[in-house]
Amino acid sequence: MTAALVAAGLGIVPGTASAAEGPAKPAAAGEGKAARAAVQTWHSPAERTVRTVRGTSAGKAAAPQVAAVGEGNRDLAINLDAAGHSALGLELRAKITSADVALQVVVDWGDGKTEKQTVKGSAEPAFAHSYAEVGEYQVSVKVTDAVNGVVAENGFAYLTPGSDFTPHAPTRLLDTRDGTGAQAGKVAARGRTRVKIAEAAGIPADVRAVVLNVTVTNTTTDGHVTVFPGKGSTRPNTSNLNYAAGQSVPNLVIVPVGTDGYVELFNGGWGAVDLIADVTGYFTRSSSSGYTPMTPTRFVDTRAGVGTGQGRLASRSTFSTQISGLKGVPANATAVALNVTVTNPKQAGHLSVYPGGDQPPTASSLNFAAGETVANAVIVPVGPDGRISVFNGAWADTDVVVDVVGHYAKDGKAAFLPYGPRRMLDTRDPGSWWPGGRLPARGYIAKWADLEARGGEAYVLNTTVTNTTEAGFLSVAPSPFPWLVNDGPNAPVPPRPDASTLNWTAGKTVPNLVQASGGEHGILHFWNQGWKDADLIVDIFGAYQAY
């Protein structure tokens, strides 16, 4: 076993923390304040106001231009503007045009809840609301002028920006080696391929985002792969996985689906490669499963007999382990977010992680070479028996470690809100954080998860370690301290995490997806658990928000 993985399991005594990023320091060029989603807006102009004179027939509105003789407040009207800054929240401003009389304003949020204010004359009352579930809601505003016996109403259909997760049995959607989902043949250098998501393998047409395990193989040069939405978007300056010549590298990707129902995969290398994409779940605006992050918790370690029998997983063999109802995972969990690690494999191969009770799928969850320690994020449905299964597809045995980092359930509160992908940290860039420099050995960097997130429960990040000189591993954990404590010259050293996010060896560039909780303070610590400095790149792709 590697020293790095031993360290991850034992939790070594903390070293001195590195200096943290100061919030008042200037951001790196192009970084801006924080990664965020595009704000969705709604507008219903005053011309759409339905104006009713009390005493008219039910359901019939008297238009202002045909109002009864002597009727007051003829110009009563409502202009509505609203914005969705978070997954489940709505901020509403009503601009009321009225005579100088007392008015009662009632907002019906469409979910059985209402809110009232009293204003006088023309006014601009503001309201805010958080929905318990994703979906579409009919929002209406009613203004009552009791003095003149006039009621005005306006409204609009609100669709939550956030979406819920639906698990999907691991299924291959793309394999350029055999023509699955695309024309057979390698993806050219600096070229791209597309994979259909909407209405493929039972995925609904209104899919918003998809969870894919993407693998690059048959590589001849170094390079990277970027996965991004199809029609309606442009390729971002971020990467999802990095590879070297001769490597097969997997990584989990959560990506919005383009307006054409596709996602794109770009080969950023200078040699042709084969690309594989396996779906394990998707997000829609239909109420399904919300996400709850956990402190990374070890459920399986074949070296110690945790979660399965002690001893290496034999070639072409499977073990199953109970997930639901244990160690903080609820009995009604529909899926779990994992970090799965292979260590000391005797030969090259792959692991497949799948719901308990199913047969091993064609889809792979991670690929490894002989002697490698490799980690990969996995999101997998939980079987009807509350278990998941792990299949060793290699022709030799290996050790396997499984950490649970979160779970999805019908009563989970947090919905997913994708961001425009952007670089959150790059230690190679002197302006990326303060005071700058490489991620120090046995130290950490503190970063705000998102300065403007509302109700943020967890963040979807892609972490990449590069320019390494010896083996090590990365841990990501929420800060136990508020920012002013983190930022002091004598800041206390937080407890060192005991779970690994990714493992590397000397000279390797290694990526892995992280679904990291920001904790109580919304601050993340990125720990270098190795004994040599390394460079760290962090890209942010979205957040799970509870309101």
Side-chain angles (χ1 to χ4, degrees), residues 361-375:
T362 304
S364 61
S365 301
L366 64 84
N367 297 68
F368 51 86
E372 275 191 324
T373 295
V374 179

Side-chain angles (χ1 to χ4, degrees), residues 277-293:
D278 302 318
V279 62
T280 63
Y282 57 86
F283 295 86
T284 66
R285 280 168 165 160
S286 299
S287 180
S288 185
S289 294
Y291 184 68
T292 302

Side-chain angles (χ1 to χ4, degrees), residues 518-538:
E520 180 183 356
H521 307 294
I523 300 166
L524 291 170
H525 286 172
F526 297 90
W527 285 85
N528 178 358
Q529 305 274 38
W531 296 96
K532 296 289 185 181
D533 295 357
D535 277 312
L536 174 65
I537 305 158
V538 182

Side-chain angles (χ1 to χ4, degrees), residues 300-306 308-314 319 397-400:
V300 173
D301 190 337
T302 59
R303 303 165 303 175
V306 175
T308 188
Q310 186 172 5
R312 295 160 65 82
L313 179 59
F319 70 76
D397 55 16
T398 185
D399 276 310
V400 179

Side-chain angles (χ1 to χ4, degrees), residues 51 53 95 113 238 249 332 431 440:
R51 186 169 175 279
V53 178
K95 184 175 182 180
K113 297 181 180 180
T238 54
V249 179
N332 65 340

